[in-house]
């Protein structure tokens, strides 16, 4: 019987001897570490290719596709789904894999900022997109030290000036929403916002306030509240507003999800929208169009925001010089059936300018 003679197993040590470097140096190159001189890296890579060496990961699976990690605070809103759809569409066109991470489902990661950033490098990910989440300076610095591109979309906290960000014209959108209600003749207009520290919610609030002050309508503190971008916030705020001695005749909700909560509570209290109260949302999601009644809403180009965020990652990875680190896309008001003049009043003849 002829005995099969197998060639000796190729090891990192054998490659290291051929190149004339240490085995740990070869290991660094195999694992994508950056702390190896360029000339040494090229010699090691040439030897690895010449000898046909494959790392354990390569032997178990095919070479990894380019990948970007996308971090959401949650995925239970139409806003998040629309942004994600834009990212996925652009990723498919760019042959890039998308890895999702939802912070609300994480129970305290044991990894610190540096460990998490290094893990991304080790796993070959090309960058991170953070959507409506808070991202600490320590995390950003850890990623920047390793030259991992990060892009934030509608962040809860203002990003540092050197971080790429994507958003919409929130101030103009807030002003347009309030101006529409003022044009209809409303003067008691409430604002139910998102988280008080969220930059996008603050901008919408300031736009609302600017519209009121421009025509001499006082900003009533009792008419302004903050909470999560959830329908539960709309329900709770609607209850509080209707308990006031002089409730508002119109509500501007800082998101469509909040507005849907207002609609639900209005039905429970037998308040007709828009006959008894007008309602404007923000986001322009499919839910706004499909609600009963269809919701007047400030539309954001959510899918375009997702596409722009991924384009920022791709441009950074290619080494392109990018002049502006901020993309701000235009919003526009879509008028549907949830707004009307106050009860007993026709459309105001004194139109408010935008």
């Amino acid at each position: 019987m002829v005995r099969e003679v197998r060639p000796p197993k190729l090891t990192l040590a054998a490659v290291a001897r051929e190149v004339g470097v240490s085995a740990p140096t070869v290991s660094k190159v195999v694992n994508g570490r950056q702390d190896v001189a360029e000339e040494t890296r090229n010699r090691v890579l040439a030897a690895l290719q010449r000898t046909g060496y494959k790392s354990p990961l390569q032997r178990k699976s095919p070479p990894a596709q380019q990948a970007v990690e996308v971090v959401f605070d949650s995925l239970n809103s139409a806003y998040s789904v629309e942004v994600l759809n834009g990212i996925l569409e652009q990723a498919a066109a760019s042959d890039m894999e998308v890895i999702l991470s939802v912070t609300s489902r994480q129970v305290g990661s044991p990894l610190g900022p540096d460990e998490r950033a290094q893990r991304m490098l080790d796993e070959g990910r090309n960058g991170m997109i953070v959507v409506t989440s808070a991202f600490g300076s320590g995390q950003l610095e850890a990623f920047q030290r390793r030259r991992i591109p990060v892009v934030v979309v509608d962040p809860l906290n203002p990003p540092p000036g050197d971080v790429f960000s994507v958003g919409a014209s929130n101030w103009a959108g807030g002003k347009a929403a309030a101006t529409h209600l003022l044009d209809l003749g409303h003067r008691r207009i409430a604002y139910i916002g998102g988280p008080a520290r969220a930059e996008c919610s603050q901008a919408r609030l300031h736009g609302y306030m600017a519209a009121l002050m421009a025509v001499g309508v006082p900003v009533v503190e009792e008419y302004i509240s903050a909470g999560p971008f959830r329908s539960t916030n709309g329900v709770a705020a609607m209850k509080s507003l209707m308990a006031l001695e002089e409730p508002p005749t119109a509500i501007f909700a800082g998101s469509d999800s909040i507005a849907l909560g207002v609609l639900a509570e209005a039905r429970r209290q037998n308040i007709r929208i828009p006959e008894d109260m007008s309602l404007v949302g923000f986001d322009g999601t499919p839910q706004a169009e499909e609600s009963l009644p269809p919701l007047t809403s400030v539309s954001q180009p959510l899918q375009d925001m997702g596409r722009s965020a991924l384009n920022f990652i791709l441009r950074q990875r290619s080494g392109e010089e990018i002049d502006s680190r901020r993309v701000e896309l235009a919003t526009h008001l879509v008028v549907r059936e949830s707004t009307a003049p106050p009860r007993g009043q026709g459309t105001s003849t004194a139109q408010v300018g935008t």
Side-chain angles (χ1 to χ4, degrees):
M1 182 175 64
V2 178
R3 185 177 180 183
E4 181 182 0
V5 178
R6 295 183 180 179
K9 184 179 178 181
L10 189 62
T11 65
L12 287 182
V15 175
R17 283 194 297 273
E18 179 175 334
V19 180
V21 297
S22 67
T25 298
V26 177
S27 178
K28 288 180 181 180
V29 174
V30 168
N31 288 290
R33 293 273 295 276
Q34 303 299 309
D35 50 340
V36 178
E38 191 66 25
E39 187 272 337
T40 302
R41 178 188 305 280
N42 290 336
R43 287 195 295 119
V44 170
L45 288 173
L48 291 170
Q49 185 174 10
R50 187 168 58 253
T51 57
Y53 176 86
K54 290 185 178 181
S55 71
L57 286 176
Q58 288 175 311
R59 292 193 288 268
K60 291 177 183 177
S61 60
Q65 185 181 17
Q66 286 193 103
V68 62
E69 183 170 341
V70 183
V71 180
F72 288 89
D73 62 333
S74 72
L75 273 174
N76 60 358
S77 71
Y79 168 97
S80 298
V81 172
E82 288 297 297
V83 173
L84 177 59
N85 282 336
I87 294 172
L88 291 173
E89 182 181 299
Q90 188 62 44
S94 307
D95 192 28
M96 178 170 280
E97 182 181 3
V98 174
I99 299 166
L100 291 182
S101 178
V102 180
T103 56
S104 63
R105 296 179 183 174
Q106 296 174 355
V107 188
S109 172
L111 297 179
D114 284 294
E115 289 83 2
R116 186 178 186 190
Q118 187 60 49
R119 186 187 68 178
M120 282 196 67
L121 271 183
D122 294 342
E123 294 177 353
R125 299 183 188 178
N126 298 88
M128 176 179 281
I129 299 173
V130 184
V131 185
T132 63
S133 299
F135 208 63
S137 58
Q139 292 172 300
L140 289 171
E141 289 168 4
F143 278 62
Q144 288 172 335
R145 282 195 297 271
R146 291 164 176 80
R147 298 183 181 179
I148 301 173
V150 176
V151 178
V152 295
V153 179
D154 269 349
L156 293 184
N157 51 332
D162 58 347
V163 173
F164 290 87
S165 65
V166 176
S169 52
N170 290 294
W171 185 91
K175 186 173 184 289
T179 296
H180 170 63
L181 294 169
L182 289 164
D183 283 350
L184 290 171
H186 294 278
R187 292 299 180 265
R188 303 201 308 270
I189 304 171
Y191 173 68
I192 306 173
R197 65 193 180 101
E199 189 176 28
C200 59
S201 187
Q202 290 177 10
R204 293 165 198 174
L205 169 61
H206 293 158
Y208 150 89
M209 294 171 67
L212 267 59
M213 290 187 290
V215 294
V217 174
V219 176
V220 179
E221 186 177 345
E222 290 178 313
Y223 286 172
I224 298 173
S225 63
F229 286 119
R230 303 282 181 272
S231 61
T232 50
N233 180 21
V235 171
M238 180 65 168
K239 289 178 179 177
S240 298
L241 289 170
M242 297 313 297
L244 295 174
E245 185 175 339
E246 193 172 40
T249 63
I251 293 176
F252 166 37
S255 75
D256 288 345
S257 293
I258 294 173
L260 293 175
V262 171
L263 272 176
E265 182 58 26
R267 291 191 196 99
R268 280 190 283 268
Q269 296 194 33
N270 295 317
I271 297 169
R272 299 171 301 164
I273 305 289
E275 293 85 355
D276 301 326
M277 176 178 288
S278 285
L279 176 63
V280 178
F282 200 108
D283 286 336
T285 61
Q287 288 180 323
E289 189 174 357
E290 296 163 2
S291 68
L292 291 174
L295 187 65
T296 294
S297 180
V298 177
S299 179
Q300 296 192 83
L302 299 176
Q303 293 195 21
D304 286 343
M305 289 162 63
R307 284 188 281 266
S308 294
L310 187 56
N311 273 330
F312 260 148
I313 296 289
L314 295 171
R315 293 170 68 187
Q316 290 178 78
R317 292 296 299 179
S318 69
E320 179 182 340
E321 288 291 332
I322 306 174
D323 294 334
S324 175
R325 293 177 178 266
R326 169 74 177 174
V327 167
E328 187 166 288
L329 303 176
T331 56
H332 67 279
L333 182 72
V334 179
V335 179
R336 298 192 180 97
E337 299 172 26
S338 66
T339 50
R343 188 168 51 187
Q345 179 180 329
T347 304
S348 173
T349 57
Q351 296 293 304
V352 181
T354 56

